[in-house]
Amino acid sequence: MAALVRARRRSLVAVAGGIVTLALGQALWRIVPETTFYGFDRSLLGGVHLVAAVAGFAVVAWVVAVPRRWSGIAALGVLAAVCGLAVPLEEPARRWHLARAFEWLGVPLVVPDIAGHRLLWVEAPIVGGRGEPAIMLDYRRAGAEMVGDSRPNVQVIVRRAAAATAEEACATPYHAQSWEGGAGSCRAASGDRWVRHGREGRVAVFTHGGGALVEFESHGAEEKVLLAAARTIRPIAAETLAERVTPVR
């Protein structure tokens, strides 16, 4: 590139261009999405390195070749602005990509209201994965968010309504392997809801609501609390879900 623009200081272009490429690449990586958000192959992110290299070396070659100092300062200023803006834009960009991923997942965006609990954490969606798409929601008792127990007080699994009936979902839960051995049998409850009990006080409720198949699981909440929550399923915005996702980078 230095030869094409007939730059005299080619060694300077090589060194400075490499430094600018690294800085620009770091800035771009802050705002690109995770591959799992859109279901594309990770190799496509190689384009980030290509863009950073082409832009970085082009700007440095331009600064060296063009005699007018103001144009070089302007070009470097634009690069510095891009790198500087990438820091405050990192989190908003991540939230935006997460919200789009929830929309692309194809699972109805719904949540329940569980008495005495609040939605603490949402698992980042995986678009285009091998398994069945689902949205994982973790609820904790209000005021007990920092309890040492790593298990959520209530875990809610949202799936496509067509995945199964409530009865079928009860017979074969989403995490079926964890229910093997002494998991108890299913029984019907009112309103097309099904209940299943397991070891160590584990209880699960299965139902349809808001166009989704919803599974409630808990090791601490009472069955009546989960049955009541099954009647409160409501839509939620993708942006609101994205705010509850723990950073994954």
Side-chain angles (χ1 to χ4, degrees), residues 99-125:
R100 304 292 77 75
F102 279 117
E103 294 174 346
W104 279 52
L105 192 60
V107 176
L109 305 183
V110 296
V111 296
D113 293 321
I114 304 177
H117 296 71
R118 64 183 292 268
L119 178 59
L120 178 65
W121 179 75
V122 179
E123 184 175 304

mmCIF file with all atom_site columns, all heavy atoms in Angstrom, residues 99-125:
data_model
loop_
_atom_site.group_PDB
_atom_site.id
_atom_site.type_symbol
_atom_site.label_atom_id
_atom_site.label_alt_id
_atom_site.label_comp_id
_atom_site.label_asym_id
_atom_site.label_entity_id
_atom_site.label_seq_id
_atom_site.pdbx_PDB_ins_code
_atom_site.Cartn_x
_atom_site.Cartn_y
_atom_site.Cartn_z
_atom_site.occupancy
_atom_site.B_iso_or_equiv
_atom_site.pdbx_formal_charge
_atom_site.auth_seq_id
_atom_site.auth_comp_id
_atom_site.auth_asym_id
_atom_site.auth_atom_id
_atom_site.pdbx_PDB_model_num
ATOM 1   N N   . ALA A 1 99  ? -30.832 -8.089  22.335 1.00 0.00 ? 99  ALA A N   1
ATOM 2   C CA  . ALA A 1 99  ? -32.265 -7.932  22.075 1.00 0.00 ? 99  ALA A CA  1
ATOM 3   C C   . ALA A 1 99  ? -32.633 -8.512  20.710 1.00 0.00 ? 99  ALA A C   1
ATOM 4   O O   . ALA A 1 99  ? -33.658 -9.190  20.561 1.00 0.00 ? 99  ALA A O   1
ATOM 5   C CB  . ALA A 1 99  ? -32.655 -6.456  22.153 1.00 0.00 ? 99  ALA A CB  1
ATOM 6   N N   . ARG A 1 100 ? -31.797 -8.266  19.716 1.00 0.00 ? 100 ARG A N   1
ATOM 7   C CA  . ARG A 1 100 ? -32.077 -8.827  18.383 1.00 0.00 ? 100 ARG A CA  1
ATOM 8   C C   . ARG A 1 100 ? -31.995 -10.357 18.414 1.00 0.00 ? 100 ARG A C   1
ATOM 9   O O   . ARG A 1 100 ? -32.748 -11.051 17.731 1.00 0.00 ? 100 ARG A O   1
ATOM 10  C CB  . ARG A 1 100 ? -31.069 -8.282  17.362 1.00 0.00 ? 100 ARG A CB  1
ATOM 11  C CG  . ARG A 1 100 ? -31.002 -6.757  17.253 1.00 0.00 ? 100 ARG A CG  1
ATOM 12  C CD  . ARG A 1 100 ? -32.257 -6.127  16.667 1.00 0.00 ? 100 ARG A CD  1
ATOM 13  N NE  . ARG A 1 100 ? -33.364 -6.040  17.585 1.00 0.00 ? 100 ARG A NE  1
ATOM 14  C CZ  . ARG A 1 100 ? -33.434 -5.139  18.589 1.00 0.00 ? 100 ARG A CZ  1
ATOM 15  N NH1 . ARG A 1 100 ? -32.446 -4.311  18.818 1.00 0.00 ? 100 ARG A NH1 1
ATOM 16  N NH2 . ARG A 1 100 ? -34.493 -5.100  19.366 1.00 0.00 ? 100 ARG A NH2 1
ATOM 17  N N   . ALA A 1 101 ? -31.063 -10.883 19.215 1.00 0.00 ? 101 ALA A N   1
ATOM 18  C CA  . ALA A 1 101 ? -30.919 -12.336 19.311 1.00 0.00 ? 101 ALA A CA  1
ATOM 19  C C   . ALA A 1 101 ? -32.163 -12.965 19.918 1.00 0.00 ? 101 ALA A C   1
ATOM 20  O O   . ALA A 1 101 ? -32.622 -14.027 19.470 1.00 0.00 ? 101 ALA A O   1
ATOM 21  C CB  . ALA A 1 101 ? -29.684 -12.693 20.140 1.00 0.00 ? 101 ALA A CB  1
ATOM 22  N N   . PHE A 1 102 ? -32.735 -12.336 20.940 1.00 0.00 ? 102 PHE A N   1
ATOM 23  C CA  . PHE A 1 102 ? -33.974 -12.850 21.526 1.00 0.00 ? 102 PHE A CA  1
ATOM 24  C C   . PHE A 1 102 ? -35.097 -12.864 20.486 1.00 0.00 ? 102 PHE A C   1
ATOM 25  O O   . PHE A 1 102 ? -35.913 -13.787 20.452 1.00 0.00 ? 102 PHE A O   1
ATOM 26  C CB  . PHE A 1 102 ? -34.381 -12.016 22.737 1.00 0.00 ? 102 PHE A CB  1
ATOM 27  C CG  . PHE A 1 102 ? -33.658 -12.383 23.997 1.00 0.00 ? 102 PHE A CG  1
ATOM 28  C CD1 . PHE A 1 102 ? -32.821 -11.483 24.639 1.00 0.00 ? 102 PHE A CD1 1
ATOM 29  C CD2 . PHE A 1 102 ? -33.822 -13.644 24.560 1.00 0.00 ? 102 PHE A CD2 1
ATOM 30  C CE1 . PHE A 1 102 ? -32.153 -11.822 25.803 1.00 0.00 ? 102 PHE A CE1 1
ATOM 31  C CE2 . PHE A 1 102 ? -33.152 -14.000 25.731 1.00 0.00 ? 102 PHE A CE2 1
ATOM 32  C CZ  . PHE A 1 102 ? -32.322 -13.087 26.342 1.00 0.00 ? 102 PHE A CZ  1
ATOM 33  N N   . GLU A 1 103 ? -35.131 -11.846 19.647 1.00 0.00 ? 103 GLU A N   1
ATOM 34  C CA  . GLU A 1 103 ? -36.160 -11.785 18.609 1.00 0.00 ? 103 GLU A CA  1
ATOM 35  C C   . GLU A 1 103 ? -35.932 -12.858 17.540 1.00 0.00 ? 103 GLU A C   1
ATOM 36  O O   . GLU A 1 103 ? -36.890 -13.436 17.029 1.00 0.00 ? 103 GLU A O   1
ATOM 37  C CB  . GLU A 1 103 ? -36.174 -10.393 17.972 1.00 0.00 ? 103 GLU A CB  1
ATOM 38  C CG  . GLU A 1 103 ? -36.598 -9.288  18.932 1.00 0.00 ? 103 GLU A CG  1
ATOM 39  C CD  . GLU A 1 103 ? -36.464 -7.905  18.343 1.00 0.00 ? 103 GLU A CD  1
ATOM 40  O OE1 . GLU A 1 103 ? -35.791 -7.767  17.285 1.00 0.00 ? 103 GLU A OE1 1
ATOM 41  O OE2 . GLU A 1 103 ? -37.015 -6.946  18.921 1.00 0.00 ? 103 GLU A OE2 1
ATOM 42  N N   . TRP A 1 104 ? -34.667 -13.105 17.213 1.00 0.00 ? 104 TRP A N   1
ATOM 43  C CA  . TRP A 1 104 ? -34.334 -14.104 16.187 1.00 0.00 ? 104 TRP A CA  1
ATOM 44  C C   . TRP A 1 104 ? -34.513 -15.531 16.693 1.00 0.00 ? 104 TRP A C   1
ATOM 45  O O   . TRP A 1 104 ? -34.654 -16.458 15.899 1.00 0.00 ? 104 TRP A O   1
ATOM 46  C CB  . TRP A 1 104 ? -32.884 -13.913 15.738 1.00 0.00 ? 104 TRP A CB  1
ATOM 47  C CG  . TRP A 1 104 ? -32.683 -12.833 14.730 1.00 0.00 ? 104 TRP A CG  1
ATOM 48  C CD1 . TRP A 1 104 ? -33.106 -11.540 14.823 1.00 0.00 ? 104 TRP A CD1 1
ATOM 49  C CD2 . TRP A 1 104 ? -32.008 -12.933 13.471 1.00 0.00 ? 104 TRP A CD2 1
ATOM 50  N NE1 . TRP A 1 104 ? -32.727 -10.823 13.720 1.00 0.00 ? 104 TRP A NE1 1
ATOM 51  C CE2 . TRP A 1 104 ? -32.055 -11.660 12.864 1.00 0.00 ? 104 TRP A CE2 1
ATOM 52  C CE3 . TRP A 1 104 ? -31.356 -13.972 12.817 1.00 0.00 ? 104 TRP A CE3 1
ATOM 53  C CZ2 . TRP A 1 104 ? -31.478 -11.401 11.628 1.00 0.00 ? 104 TRP A CZ2 1
ATOM 54  C CZ3 . TRP A 1 104 ? -30.773 -13.709 11.579 1.00 0.00 ? 104 TRP A CZ3 1
ATOM 55  C CH2 . TRP A 1 104 ? -30.849 -12.448 10.999 1.00 0.00 ? 104 TRP A CH2 1
ATOM 56  N N   . LEU A 1 105 ? -34.536 -15.715 17.991 1.00 0.00 ? 105 LEU A N   1
ATOM 57  C CA  . LEU A 1 105 ? -34.572 -17.060 18.563 1.00 0.00 ? 105 LEU A CA  1
ATOM 58  C C   . LEU A 1 105 ? -35.831 -17.824 18.168 1.00 0.00 ? 105 LEU A C   1
ATOM 59  O O   . LEU A 1 105 ? -35.811 -19.054 18.052 1.00 0.00 ? 105 LEU A O   1
ATOM 60  C CB  . LEU A 1 105 ? -34.462 -16.967 20.085 1.00 0.00 ? 105 LEU A CB  1
ATOM 61  C CG  . LEU A 1 105 ? -34.201 -18.262 20.851 1.00 0.00 ? 105 LEU A CG  1
ATOM 62  C CD1 . LEU A 1 105 ? -32.888 -18.904 20.418 1.00 0.00 ? 105 LEU A CD1 1
ATOM 63  C CD2 . LEU A 1 105 ? -34.197 -18.005 22.357 1.00 0.00 ? 105 LEU A CD2 1
ATOM 64  N N   . GLY A 1 106 ? -36.933 -17.111 17.971 1.00 0.00 ? 106 GLY A N   1
ATOM 65  C CA  . GLY A 1 106 ? -38.163 -17.770 17.568 1.00 0.00 ? 106 GLY A CA  1
ATOM 66  C C   . GLY A 1 106 ? -38.990 -18.298 18.715 1.00 0.00 ? 106 GLY A C   1
ATOM 67  O O   . GLY A 1 106 ? -39.943 -19.049 18.514 1.00 0.00 ? 106 GLY A O   1
ATOM 68  N N   . VAL A 1 107 ? -38.626 -17.929 19.947 1.00 0.00 ? 107 VAL A N   1
ATOM 69  C CA  . VAL A 1 107 ? -39.370 -18.329 21.138 1.00 0.00 ? 107 VAL A CA  1
ATOM 70  C C   . VAL A 1 107 ? -40.175 -17.128 21.619 1.00 0.00 ? 107 VAL A C   1
ATOM 71  O O   . VAL A 1 107 ? -39.642 -16.016 21.682 1.00 0.00 ? 107 VAL A O   1
ATOM 72  C CB  . VAL A 1 107 ? -38.419 -18.808 22.251 1.00 0.00 ? 107 VAL A CB  1
ATOM 73  C CG1 . VAL A 1 107 ? -39.187 -19.123 23.527 1.00 0.00 ? 107 VAL A CG1 1
ATOM 74  C CG2 . VAL A 1 107 ? -37.637 -20.027 21.786 1.00 0.00 ? 107 VAL A CG2 1
ATOM 75  N N   . PRO A 1 108 ? -41.464 -17.306 21.949 1.00 0.00 ? 108 PRO A N   1
ATOM 76  C CA  . PRO A 1 108 ? -42.256 -16.170 22.445 1.00 0.00 ? 108 PRO A CA  1
ATOM 77  C C   . PRO A 1 108 ? -41.584 -15.499 23.641 1.00 0.00 ? 108 PRO A C   1
ATOM 78  O O   . PRO A 1 108 ? -41.100 -16.171 24.554 1.00 0.00 ? 108 PRO A O   1
ATOM 79  C CB  . PRO A 1 108 ? -43.585 -16.819 22.849 1.00 0.00 ? 108 PRO A CB  1
ATOM 80  C CG  . PRO A 1 108 ? -43.688 -18.033 21.967 1.00 0.00 ? 108 PRO A CG  1
ATOM 81  C CD  . PRO A 1 108 ? -42.276 -18.534 21.831 1.00 0.00 ? 108 PRO A CD  1
ATOM 82  N N   . LEU A 1 109 ? -41.558 -14.195 23.632 1.00 0.00 ? 109 LEU A N   1
ATOM 83  C CA  . LEU A 1 109 ? -40.920 -13.438 24.706 1.00 0.00 ? 109 LEU A CA  1
ATOM 84  C C   . LEU A 1 109 ? -41.954 -13.170 25.794 1.00 0.00 ? 109 LEU A C   1
ATOM 85  O O   . LEU A 1 109 ? -42.716 -12.195 25.745 1.00 0.00 ? 109 LEU A O   1
ATOM 86  C CB  . LEU A 1 109 ? -40.341 -12.131 24.162 1.00 0.00 ? 109 LEU A CB  1
ATOM 87  C CG  . LEU A 1 109 ? -39.363 -12.270 22.983 1.00 0.00 ? 109 LEU A CG  1
ATOM 88  C CD1 . LEU A 1 109 ? -38.807 -10.920 22.575 1.00 0.00 ? 109 LEU A CD1 1
ATOM 89  C CD2 . LEU A 1 109 ? -38.237 -13.243 23.317 1.00 0.00 ? 109 LEU A CD2 1
ATOM 90  N N   . VAL A 1 110 ? -41.996 -14.060 26.765 1.00 0.00 ? 110 VAL A N   1
ATOM 91  C CA  . VAL A 1 110 ? -42.944 -13.951 27.872 1.00 0.00 ? 110 VAL A CA  1
ATOM 92  C C   . VAL A 1 110 ? -42.231 -14.240 29.187 1.00 0.00 ? 110 VAL A C   1
ATOM 93  O O   . VAL A 1 110 ? -41.211 -14.931 29.210 1.00 0.00 ? 110 VAL A O   1
ATOM 94  C CB  . VAL A 1 110 ? -44.135 -14.928 27.710 1.00 0.00 ? 110 VAL A CB  1
ATOM 95  C CG1 . VAL A 1 110 ? -44.949 -14.587 26.471 1.00 0.00 ? 110 VAL A CG1 1
ATOM 96  C CG2 . VAL A 1 110 ? -43.644 -16.372 27.641 1.00 0.00 ? 110 VAL A CG2 1
ATOM 97  N N   . VAL A 1 111 ? -42.774 -13.704 30.260 1.00 0.00 ? 111 VAL A N   1
ATOM 98  C CA  . VAL A 1 111 ? -42.261 -13.971 31.609 1.00 0.00 ? 111 VAL A CA  1
ATOM 99  C C   . VAL A 1 111 ? -43.448 -14.069 32.564 1.00 0.00 ? 111 VAL A C   1
ATOM 100 O O   . VAL A 1 111 ? -44.501 -13.481 32.308 1.00 0.00 ? 111 VAL A O   1
ATOM 101 C CB  . VAL A 1 111 ? -41.313 -12.858 32.101 1.00 0.00 ? 111 VAL A CB  1
ATOM 102 C CG1 . VAL A 1 111 ? -40.060 -12.776 31.250 1.00 0.00 ? 111 VAL A CG1 1
ATOM 103 C CG2 . VAL A 1 111 ? -42.022 -11.519 32.131 1.00 0.00 ? 111 VAL A CG2 1
ATOM 104 N N   . PRO A 1 112 ? -43.304 -14.812 33.654 1.00 0.00 ? 112 PRO A N   1
ATOM 105 C CA  . PRO A 1 112 ? -44.351 -14.853 34.683 1.00 0.00 ? 112 PRO A CA  1
ATOM 106 C C   . PRO A 1 112 ? -44.029 -13.877 35.809 1.00 0.00 ? 112 PRO A C   1
ATOM 107 O O   . PRO A 1 112 ? -42.908 -13.383 35.927 1.00 0.00 ? 112 PRO A O   1
ATOM 108 C CB  . PRO A 1 112 ? -44.272 -16.293 35.174 1.00 0.00 ? 112 PRO A CB  1
ATOM 109 C CG  . PRO A 1 112 ? -42.801 -16.601 35.079 1.00 0.00 ? 112 PRO A CG  1
ATOM 110 C CD  . PRO A 1 112 ? -42.277 -15.853 33.884 1.00 0.00 ? 112 PRO A CD  1
ATOM 111 N N   . ASP A 1 113 ? -45.003 -13.609 36.624 1.00 0.00 ? 113 ASP A N   1
ATOM 112 C CA  . ASP A 1 113 ? -44.807 -12.867 37.871 1.00 0.00 ? 113 ASP A CA  1
ATOM 113 C C   . ASP A 1 113 ? -44.939 -13.875 39.001 1.00 0.00 ? 113 ASP A C   1
ATOM 114 O O   . ASP A 1 113 ? -46.006 -14.470 39.187 1.00 0.00 ? 113 ASP A O   1
ATOM 115 C CB  . ASP A 1 113 ? -45.843 -11.757 38.016 1.00 0.00 ? 113 ASP A CB  1
ATOM 116 C CG  . ASP A 1 113 ? -45.660 -10.669 36.968 1.00 0.00 ? 113 ASP A CG  1
ATOM 117 O OD1 . ASP A 1 113 ? -44.507 -10.335 36.667 1.00 0.00 ? 113 ASP A OD1 1
ATOM 118 O OD2 . ASP A 1 113 ? -46.672 -10.171 36.443 1.00 0.00 ? 113 ASP A OD2 1
ATOM 119 N N   . ILE A 1 114 ? -43.871 -14.082 39.753 1.00 0.00 ? 114 ILE A N   1
ATOM 120 C CA  . ILE A 1 114 ? -43.862 -15.073 40.831 1.00 0.00 ? 114 ILE A CA  1
ATOM 121 C C   . ILE A 1 114 ? -43.910 -14.341 42.164 1.00 0.00 ? 114 ILE A C   1
ATOM 122 O O   . ILE A 1 114 ? -43.050 -13.505 42.455 1.00 0.00 ? 114 ILE A O   1
ATOM 123 C CB  . ILE A 1 114 ? -42.613 -15.971 40.747 1.00 0.00 ? 114 ILE A CB  1
ATOM 124 C CG1 . ILE A 1 114 ? -42.536 -16.633 39.359 1.00 0.00 ? 114 ILE A CG1 1
ATOM 125 C CG2 . ILE A 1 114 ? -42.630 -17.026 41.831 1.00 0.00 ? 114 ILE A CG2 1
ATOM 126 C CD1 . ILE A 1 114 ? -41.294 -17.475 39.144 1.00 0.00 ? 114 ILE A CD1 1
ATOM 127 N N   . ALA A 1 115 ? -44.911 -14.648 42.967 1.00 0.00 ? 115 ALA A N   1
ATOM 128 C CA  . ALA A 1 115 ? -45.109 -13.951 44.235 1.00 0.00 ? 115 ALA A CA  1
ATOM 129 C C   . ALA A 1 115 ? -43.866 -14.049 45.116 1.00 0.00 ? 115 ALA A C   1
ATOM 130 O O   . ALA A 1 115 ? -43.332 -15.135 45.335 1.00 0.00 ? 115 ALA A O   1
ATOM 131 C CB  . ALA A 1 115 ? -46.318 -14.547 44.961 1.00 0.00 ? 115 ALA A CB  1
ATOM 132 N N   . GLY A 1 116 ? -43.406 -12.897 45.609 1.00 0.00 ? 116 GLY A N   1
ATOM 133 C CA  . GLY A 1 116 ? -42.260 -12.865 46.502 1.00 0.00 ? 116 GLY A CA  1
ATOM 134 C C   . GLY A 1 116 ? -40.927 -13.048 45.815 1.00 0.00 ? 116 GLY A C   1
ATOM 135 O O   . GLY A 1 116 ? -39.904 -13.174 46.496 1.00 0.00 ? 116 GLY A O   1
ATOM 136 N N   . HIS A 1 117 ? -40.901 -13.082 44.505 1.00 0.00 ? 117 HIS A N   1
ATOM 137 C CA  . HIS A 1 117 ? -39.660 -13.287 43.758 1.00 0.00 ? 117 HIS A CA  1
ATOM 138 C C   . HIS A 1 117 ? -39.492 -12.190 42.712 1.00 0.00 ? 117 HIS A C   1
ATOM 139 O O   . HIS A 1 117 ? -40.464 -11.550 42.292 1.00 0.00 ? 117 HIS A O   1
ATOM 140 C CB  . HIS A 1 117 ? -39.666 -14.642 43.037 1.00 0.00 ? 117 HIS A CB  1
ATOM 141 C CG  . HIS A 1 117 ? -39.714 -15.816 43.968 1.00 0.00 ? 117 HIS A CG  1
ATOM 142 N ND1 . HIS A 1 117 ? -40.829 -16.143 44.705 1.00 0.00 ? 117 HIS A ND1 1
ATOM 143 C CD2 . HIS A 1 117 ? -38.768 -16.755 44.271 1.00 0.00 ? 117 HIS A CD2 1
ATOM 144 C CE1 . HIS A 1 117 ? -40.589 -17.236 45.419 1.00 0.00 ? 117 HIS A CE1 1
ATOM 145 N NE2 . HIS A 1 117 ? -39.347 -17.617 45.172 1.00 0.00 ? 117 HIS A NE2 1
ATOM 146 N N   . ARG A 1 118 ? -38.256 -12.019 42.286 1.00 0.00 ? 118 ARG A N   1
ATOM 147 C CA  . ARG A 1 118 ? -37.971 -11.078 41.199 1.00 0.00 ? 118 ARG A CA  1
ATOM 148 C C   . ARG A 1 118 ? -37.055 -11.739 40.193 1.00 0.00 ? 118 ARG A C   1
ATOM 149 O O   . ARG A 1 118 ? -36.243 -12.611 40.533 1.00 0.00 ? 118 ARG A O   1
ATOM 150 C CB  . ARG A 1 118 ? -37.328 -9.796  41.729 1.00 0.00 ? 118 ARG A CB  1
ATOM 151 C CG  . ARG A 1 118 ? -35.969 -9.987  42.374 1.00 0.00 ? 118 ARG A CG  1
ATOM 152 C CD  . ARG A 1 118 ? -35.429 -8.672  42.938 1.00 0.00 ? 118 ARG A CD  1
ATOM 153 N NE  . ARG A 1 118 ? -35.112 -7.754  41.873 1.00 0.00 ? 118 ARG A NE  1
ATOM 154 C CZ  . ARG A 1 118 ? -33.901 -7.665  41.303 1.00 0.00 ? 118 ARG A CZ  1
ATOM 155 N NH1 . ARG A 1 118 ? -32.921 -8.471  41.706 1.00 0.00 ? 118 ARG A NH1 1
ATOM 156 N NH2 . ARG A 1 118 ? -33.676 -6.801  40.350 1.00 0.00 ? 118 ARG A NH2 1
ATOM 157 N N   . LEU A 1 119 ? -37.193 -11.327 38.938 1.00 0.00 ? 119 LEU A N   1
ATOM 158 C CA  . LEU A 1 119 ? -36.351 -11.856 37.868 1.00 0.00 ? 119 LEU A CA  1
ATOM 159 C C   . LEU A 1 119 ? -34.940 -11.314 38.049 1.00 0.00 ? 119 LEU A C   1
ATOM 160 O O   . LEU A 1 119 ? -34.708 -10.108 37.981 1.00 0.00 ? 119 LEU A O   1
ATOM 161 C CB  . LEU A 1 119 ? -36.907 -11.441 36.504 1.00 0.00 ? 119 LEU A CB  1
ATOM 162 C CG  . LEU A 1 119 ? -36.108 -11.876 35.270 1.00 0.00 ? 119 LEU A CG  1
ATOM 163 C CD1 . LEU A 1 119 ? -35.970 -13.384 35.211 1.00 0.00 ? 119 LEU A CD1 1
ATOM 164 C CD2 . LEU A 1 119 ? -36.763 -11.345 33.995 1.00 0.00 ? 119 LEU A CD2 1
ATOM 165 N N   . LEU A 1 120 ? -34.001 -12.211 38.306 1.00 0.00 ? 120 LEU A N   1
ATOM 166 C CA  . LEU A 1 120 ? -32.631 -11.801 38.596 1.00 0.00 ? 120 LEU A CA  1
ATOM 167 C C   . LEU A 1 120 ? -31.713 -11.929 37.387 1.00 0.00 ? 120 LEU A C   1
ATOM 168 O O   . LEU A 1 120 ? -30.870 -11.069 37.147 1.00 0.00 ? 120 LEU A O   1
ATOM 169 C CB  . LEU A 1 120 ? -32.064 -12.636 39.751 1.00 0.00 ? 120 LEU A CB  1
ATOM 170 C CG  . LEU A 1 120 ? -30.612 -12.349 40.154 1.00 0.00 ? 120 LEU A CG  1
ATOM 171 C CD1 . LEU A 1 120 ? -30.495 -10.935 40.714 1.00 0.00 ? 120 LEU A CD1 1
ATOM 172 C CD2 . LEU A 1 120 ? -30.115 -13.361 41.176 1.00 0.00 ? 120 LEU A CD2 1
ATOM 173 N N   . TRP A 1 121 ? -31.866 -12.987 36.612 1.00 0.00 ? 121 TRP A N   1
ATOM 174 C CA  . TRP A 1 121 ? -30.884 -13.278 35.564 1.00 0.00 ? 121 TRP A CA  1
ATOM 175 C C   . TRP A 1 121 ? -31.546 -14.005 34.405 1.00 0.00 ? 121 TRP A C   1
ATOM 176 O O   . TRP A 1 121 ? -32.454 -14.817 34.605 1.00 0.00 ? 121 TRP A O   1
ATOM 177 C CB  . TRP A 1 121 ? -29.761 -14.137 36.147 1.00 0.00 ? 121 TRP A CB  1
ATOM 178 C CG  . TRP A 1 121 ? -28.703 -14.537 35.174 1.00 0.00 ? 121 TRP A CG  1
ATOM 179 C CD1 . TRP A 1 121 ? -27.712 -13.764 34.654 1.00 0.00 ? 121 TRP A CD1 1
ATOM 180 C CD2 . TRP A 1 121 ? -28.527 -15.837 34.594 1.00 0.00 ? 121 TRP A CD2 1
ATOM 181 N NE1 . TRP A 1 121 ? -26.924 -14.497 33.796 1.00 0.00 ? 121 TRP A NE1 1
ATOM 182 C CE2 . TRP A 1 121 ? -27.411 -15.785 33.743 1.00 0.00 ? 121 TRP A CE2 1
ATOM 183 C CE3 . TRP A 1 121 ? -29.212 -17.048 34.716 1.00 0.00 ? 121 TRP A CE3 1
ATOM 184 C CZ2 . TRP A 1 121 ? -26.960 -16.874 33.014 1.00 0.00 ? 121 TRP A CZ2 1
ATOM 185 C CZ3 . TRP A 1 121 ? -28.763 -18.131 33.983 1.00 0.00 ? 121 TRP A CZ3 1
ATOM 186 C CH2 . TRP A 1 121 ? -27.646 -18.041 33.148 1.00 0.00 ? 121 TRP A CH2 1
ATOM 187 N N   . VAL A 1 122 ? -31.116 -13.689 33.193 1.00 0.00 ? 122 VAL A N   1
ATOM 188 C CA  . VAL A 1 122 ? -31.590 -14.346 31.975 1.00 0.00 ? 122 VAL A CA  1
ATOM 189 C C   . VAL A 1 122 ? -30.377 -14.889 31.231 1.00 0.00 ? 122 VAL A C   1
ATOM 190 O O   . VAL A 1 122 ? -29.362 -14.185 31.084 1.00 0.00 ? 122 VAL A O   1
ATOM 191 C CB  . VAL A 1 122 ? -32.369 -13.370 31.070 1.00 0.00 ? 122 VAL A CB  1
ATOM 192 C CG1 . VAL A 1 122 ? -32.834 -14.071 29.793 1.00 0.00 ? 122 VAL A CG1 1
ATOM 193 C CG2 . VAL A 1 122 ? -33.570 -12.789 31.818 1.00 0.00 ? 122 VAL A CG2 1
ATOM 194 N N   . GLU A 1 123 ? -30.456 -16.118 30.788 1.00 0.00 ? 123 GLU A N   1
ATOM 195 C CA  . GLU A 1 123 ? -29.343 -16.715 30.042 1.00 0.00 ? 123 GLU A CA  1
ATOM 196 C C   . GLU A 1 123 ? -29.318 -16.173 28.619 1.00 0.00 ? 123 GLU A C   1
ATOM 197 O O   . GLU A 1 123 ? -30.354 -16.015 27.977 1.00 0.00 ? 123 GLU A O   1
ATOM 198 C CB  . GLU A 1 123 ? -29.498 -18.237 30.013 1.00 0.00 ? 123 GLU A CB  1
ATOM 199 C CG  . GLU A 1 123 ? -28.333 -18.960 29.338 1.00 0.00 ? 123 GLU A CG  1
ATOM 200 C CD  . GLU A 1 123 ? -28.470 -20.466 29.440 1.00 0.00 ? 123 GLU A CD  1
ATOM 201 O OE1 . GLU A 1 123 ? -28.593 -20.971 30.578 1.00 0.00 ? 123 GLU A OE1 1
ATOM 202 O OE2 . GLU A 1 123 ? -28.456 -21.138 28.395 1.00 0.00 ? 123 GLU A OE2 1
ATOM 203 N N   . ALA A 1 124 ? -28.120 -15.867 28.133 1.00 0.00 ? 124 ALA A N   1
ATOM 204 C CA  . ALA A 1 124 ? -27.980 -15.339 26.781 1.00 0.00 ? 124 ALA A CA  1
ATOM 205 C C   . ALA A 1 124 ? -28.506 -16.345 25.766 1.00 0.00 ? 124 ALA A C   1
ATOM 206 O O   . ALA A 1 124 ? -28.249 -17.545 25.881 1.00 0.00 ? 124 ALA A O   1
ATOM 207 C CB  . ALA A 1 124 ? -26.514 -15.020 26.486 1.00 0.00 ? 124 ALA A CB  1
ATOM 208 N N   . PRO A 1 125 ? -29.254 -15.899 24.766 1.00 0.00 ? 125 PRO A N   1
ATOM 209 C CA  . PRO A 1 125 ? -29.820 -16.824 23.776 1.00 0.00 ? 125 PRO A CA  1
ATOM 210 C C   . PRO A 1 125 ? -28.755 -17.371 22.837 1.00 0.00 ? 125 PRO A C   1
ATOM 211 O O   . PRO A 1 125 ? -27.743 -16.717 22.576 1.00 0.00 ? 125 PRO A O   1
ATOM 212 C CB  . PRO A 1 125 ? -30.823 -15.950 23.012 1.00 0.00 ? 125 PRO A CB  1
ATOM 213 C CG  . PRO A 1 125 ? -30.249 -14.573 23.119 1.00 0.00 ? 125 PRO A CG  1
ATOM 214 C CD  . PRO A 1 125 ? -29.614 -14.510 24.484 1.00 0.00 ? 125 PRO A CD  1
#
